[in-house]
Amino acid sequence: SSELRYTANTQLEHLHARYTGTGDSDDNCSEWLTHQHRDTLSSIVGHPTLASYLAIADNEAIGRVKFEMTERMLQPCGPPPRKDED
């Protein structure tokens, strides 16, 4: 039982190290949404066909679309909510 628990924790740590946006149980809703939006934006920037599609749809240059997506990655869901300190 303890070996299984150790293996599961090791695998989970490996996944979190490899895929940084996966989150954990301590993440709140806004952090999870921020990770999802950043993953989507980085996917659009990283795949030329998606960037071309958006550029054509918005009637913009591909470089401009990639620049705007990169800028939106800083705060994709707006500023983080305030944390209540008790």
Side-chain angles (χ1 to χ4, degrees), residues 3 10-12 15-16 18 20 24 26 33 37 40 44 48-50 53 55 57 59-60 65 69 71 74-75 84:
E3 289 180 20
T10 304
Q11 289 175 348
L12 188 62
L15 285 175
H16 285 298
R18 187 168 181 187
T20 56
D24 58 4
D26 295 332
L33 277 175
H37 282 268
T40 302
I44 291 169
T49 53
L50 286 174
Y53 177 77
N59 197 22
E60 294 281 344
V65 169
M69 295 295 166
E71 288 289 315
L74 293 174
Q75 287 187 342
D84 295 333

Side-chain angles (χ1 to χ4, degrees), residues 10-62:
T10 304
Q11 289 175 348
L12 188 62
E13 288 174 5
H14 174 71
L15 285 175
H16 285 298
R18 187 168 181 187
Y19 305 106
T20 56
T22 54
D24 58 4
S25 61
D26 295 332
D27 286 349
N28 59 23
C29 183
S30 67
E31 290 173 348
W32 184 80
L33 277 175
T34 300
H35 288 303
Q36 293 300 315
H37 282 268
R38 279 197 185 120
D39 288 347
T40 302
L41 292 170
S42 66
S43 179
I44 291 169
V45 170
H47 291 87
T49 53
L50 286 174
S52 298
Y53 177 77
L54 283 177
I56 291 170
D58 291 341
N59 197 22
E60 294 281 344
I62 296 172

